[in-house]
């Protein structure tokens, strides 16, 4: 068998999702070389439907670092959301409460902008690789992989960034004695659809009802994204269009509000849980994004958190290559984890406040309505929600 071809770089990045590509882009801007490898094809990533809310810090990073300003032109700025419960809507006015907004701009578009920018800048991004194994993270890191043509490589690097998503292989390189995992499971999942229908609302609606949670989001003028709470073992094939719309109607319609319906063009069950891997660094390996943590989707923190990790990791790598000091790399895990746990708290809180467990007793249901009423009737309650939703991860401009 032919010997592996050797490639050397400064930072090897595993995973070409938004975290991996953003890191590669920022490093390139600072004159640091990287090679990104990814097991999925570029097309497969572009076609995966993902969440859609960006904090202003994420938008700023895309725009200010020169990835693209498409988010400002084609994304929708949202100045608030609606919390809907007991048949009534309550607006959480982000602008008024904390002077902030978020942008509805799907993660798929973030990926496409980053992939296009890396390509235009001649970045070394290799999609559709196989047989990836990471070696020697405590010494001189190497990654073995086979490219789409079947050629075998050894990628040698100073550092490895593990941005390989929630099914990360990189994290298993950290010896068991040096890692701690935190898990929380939820007794529900989301049934997500894309529907050909006009917008039902200008802003997102997070609805709680005795029948469970629903989220009304958007994609375009003619295609909408919506979710309702379901059992984690639900089979999409058991759900006809009529049954799907019935589920939405029973959770959001009422008191003059009616969802606009249309053909369902995609349906899927999204399982979720809370997970944190600590520490986020071992030896020369740094985990970023879903490889190190996942949050439940309520509140849309996942992508923003991944981009925040990348910002902190980039600062550490940039400082190391500019000054030779590893101080910021050494504090990467602690600095990133501070935000991770804030995002875990917010996502857990939004999830438990808005979902209704199938076995909820009368007390827990009435208490939940008490909690929702407490939030919407208190300016401080609304400010906490608005602050966390809009700028939990980037505190530069929030109250
Ligand atoms: C979307 C997803 C979320 O998890 C959320 O909290 C808001 C919006 C979306 O897909 O549009």
């Amino acid at each position: 068998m032919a010997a592996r071809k050797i490639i050397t770089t400064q930072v090897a990045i595993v995973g070409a999702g938004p975290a991996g590509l953003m890191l590669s882009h920022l490093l390139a801007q600072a004159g640091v070389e990287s090679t990104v490898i990814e097991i999925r094809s570029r097309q497969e990533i572009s076609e995966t439907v993902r969440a859609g809310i960006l904090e202003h810090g994420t938008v700023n990073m895309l725009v200010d670092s020169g990835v693209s300003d498409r988010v400002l032109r084609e994304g929708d700025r949202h100045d608030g959301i609606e919390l809907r419960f007991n048949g009534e809507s309550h607006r959480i006015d982000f602008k008024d409460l904390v002077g902030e907004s978020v942008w509805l701009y799907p993660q798929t578009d973030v990926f496409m902008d980053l992939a296009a920018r890396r390509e235009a800048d001649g970045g070394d991004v290799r999609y559709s690789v196989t047989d990836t194994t990471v070696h020697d993270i405590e010494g001189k890191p190497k990654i073995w992989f086979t490219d789409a043509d079947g050629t075998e490589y050894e990628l040698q690097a100073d550092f490895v960034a593990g941005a390989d998503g929630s099914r990360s292989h990189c994290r298993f390189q950290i010896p068991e004695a040096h890692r701690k995992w935190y898990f929380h499971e939820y007794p529900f999942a989301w049934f997500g659809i894309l529907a050909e229908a006009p917008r039902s609302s200008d802003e997102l609606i997070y609805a709680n009802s005795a029948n469970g949670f629903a989220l009304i989001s958007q994609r375009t003028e003619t295609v909408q994204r919506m979710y309702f709470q379901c059992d984690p073992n639900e089979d999409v094939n058991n759900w006809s269009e009529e049954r799907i719309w019935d589920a939405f109607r029973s959770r959001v319609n009422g008191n003059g509000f009616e969802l606009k319906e249309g053909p369902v063009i995609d349906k899927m069950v999204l399982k979720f849980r809370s997970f944190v891997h600590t520490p986020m660094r071992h030896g020369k390996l740094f985990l970023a994004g879903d490889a190190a943590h996942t949050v439940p989707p309520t509140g849309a923190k996942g992508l923003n958190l991944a981009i925040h990790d990348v910002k902190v990791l980039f600062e550490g790598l940039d400082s190391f290559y500019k000054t030779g000091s590893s101080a910021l790399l050494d504090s990467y895990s602690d600095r990133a984890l501070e935000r991770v746990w804030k995002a875990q708290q917010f996502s857990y809180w939004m999830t438990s406040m808005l979902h209704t467990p199938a076995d909820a007793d009368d007390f827990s249901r009435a208490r939940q309505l008490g909690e929702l009423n407490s939030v919407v009737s208190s300016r401080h309650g609304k400010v906490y929600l608005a602050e966390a939703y809009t700028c939990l991860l980037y505190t530069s401009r929030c109250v």
Side-chain angles (χ1 to χ4, degrees):
M1 196 158 44
R4 287 183 179 275
K5 283 196 178 164
I6 308 276
I7 331 171
T8 55
T9 189
Q10 290 173 294
V11 182
I13 301 174
V14 185
L21 291 182
M22 179 60 101
L23 181 62
S24 177
H25 169 72
L26 294 174
L27 290 171
Q29 304 256 301
V32 178
E33 262 180 32
S34 65
T35 292
V36 187
I37 56 169
E38 166 63 57
I39 53 174
R40 294 166 297 171
S41 69
R42 184 165 167 180
Q43 185 176 357
E44 187 186 341
I45 310 176
S46 308
E47 287 171 357
T48 310
V49 181
R50 303 291 298 266
I53 291 287
L54 305 186
E55 293 183 19
H56 85 251
T58 306
V59 170
N60 285 354
M61 254 171 92
L62 286 170
V63 176
D64 298 347
S65 74
V67 175
S68 170
D69 62 358
R70 194 161 70 96
V71 53
L72 299 179
R73 288 179 281 114
E74 295 178 26
D76 278 330
R77 202 188 81 201
H78 284 201
D79 294 342
I81 56 168
E82 280 187 14
L83 284 189
R84 190 166 167 83
F85 56 94
N86 248 350
E88 278 181 38
S89 288
H90 304 262
R91 180 148 192 264
I92 308 292
D93 185 334
F94 299 154
K95 270 268 174 234
D96 169 53
L97 293 161
V98 293
E100 277 298 342
S101 307
V102 292
W103 275 258
L104 183 72
Y105 189 69
Q107 176 169 333
T108 310
D109 290 81
V110 174
F111 166 77
M112 291 194 292
D113 292 345
L114 280 160
R117 171 55 58 203
R118 284 284 57 219
E119 189 178 16
D121 291 346
D124 187 8
V125 183
R126 302 172 190 225
Y127 298 95
S128 305
V129 307
T130 52
D131 303 325
T132 309
T133 50
V134 179
H135 307 268
D136 216 3
I137 57 164
E138 292 174 355
K140 290 191 172 148
K142 301 166 202 50
I143 301 180
W144 290 1
F145 68 92
T146 306
D147 75 2
D149 301 329
T151 309
E152 294 181 332
Y153 289 92
E154 176 171 303
L155 171 61
Q156 300 175 345
D158 302 335
F159 300 105
V160 177
D164 52 342
S166 55
R167 294 196 201 107
S168 171
H169 288 289
C170 286
R171 69 170 169 252
F172 290 97
Q173 296 311 308
I174 302 183
E176 236 177 295
H178 291 275
R179 67 180 192 225
K180 181 169 167 60
W181 289 356
Y182 297 83
F183 283 108
H184 184 78
E185 303 285 345
Y186 299 83
F188 27 72
W190 280 9
F191 196 106
I193 64 160
L194 284 173
E196 275 174 357
R199 283 196 179 122
S200 292
S201 152
D202 288 337
E203 293 179 342
L204 269 57
I205 303 175
Y206 287 83
N208 164 274
S209 79
N211 297 316
F213 168 76
L215 169 60
I216 310 305
S217 182
Q218 302 116 12
R219 283 298 177 265
T220 65
E221 289 301 324
T222 53
V223 174
Q224 310 311 322
R225 181 83 171 133
M226 308 182 196
Y227 307 88
F228 64 85
Q229 172 189 336
C230 69
D231 187 277
N233 298 315
E234 199 61 77
D235 178 355
V236 288
N237 296 314
N238 293 335
W239 287 80
S240 64
E241 286 206 5
E242 192 47 31
R243 192 170 170 216
I244 290 172
W245 288 117
D246 257 347
F248 279 116
R249 285 179 209 129
S250 74
R251 290 155 199 233
V252 296
N253 282 4
N255 286 342
F257 179 81
E258 236 179 67
L259 264 189
K260 301 204 169 95
E261 302 173 9
V264 175
I265 52 175
D266 199 8
K267 50 185 179 178
M268 68 199 72
V269 171
L270 302 151
K271 296 188 185 185
F272 55 80
R273 64 182 180 183
S274 299
F275 167 67
V276 182
H277 174 118
T278 63
M280 287 170 62
R281 179 251 179 113
H282 182 79
K284 307 281 173 55
L285 170 67
F286 296 84
L287 299 175
D290 284 1
H293 40 72
T294 51
V295 291
T298 332
K301 284 293 154 223
L303 172 62
N304 294 293
L305 195 49
I307 295 293
H308 181 267
D309 288 348
V310 165
K311 176 172 177 269
V312 178
L313 179 53
F314 166 71
E315 286 163 4
L317 291 166
D318 186 41
S319 156
F320 174 80
Y321 284 112
K322 286 211 168 89
T323 69
S325 159
S326 61
L328 286 180
L329 282 178
D330 295 341
S331 61
Y332 166 69
S333 182
D334 288 345
R335 288 189 302 141
L337 281 169
E338 195 183 318
R339 298 296 168 94
V340 168
W341 283 112
K342 286 186 183 173
Q344 288 292 1
Q345 143 58 19
F346 176 64
S347 307
Y348 174 95
W349 176 63
M350 286 285 278
T351 302
S352 51
M353 179 168 68
L354 289 162
H355 291 66
T356 314
D359 59 357
D361 59 19
D362 289 348
F363 173 82
S364 50
R365 177 76 196 120
R367 187 211 60 80
Q368 188 176 46
L369 290 172
E371 182 176 10
L372 284 158
N373 269 317
S374 304
V375 172
V376 300
S377 60
S378 149
R379 185 166 175 94
H380 292 288
K382 288 190 285 191
V383 166
Y384 170 65
L385 200 164
E387 191 179 324
Y389 198 101
T390 60
C391 49
L392 179 67
L393 306 168
Y394 304 87
T395 47
S396 58
R397 271 162 51 205
C398 226
V399 284

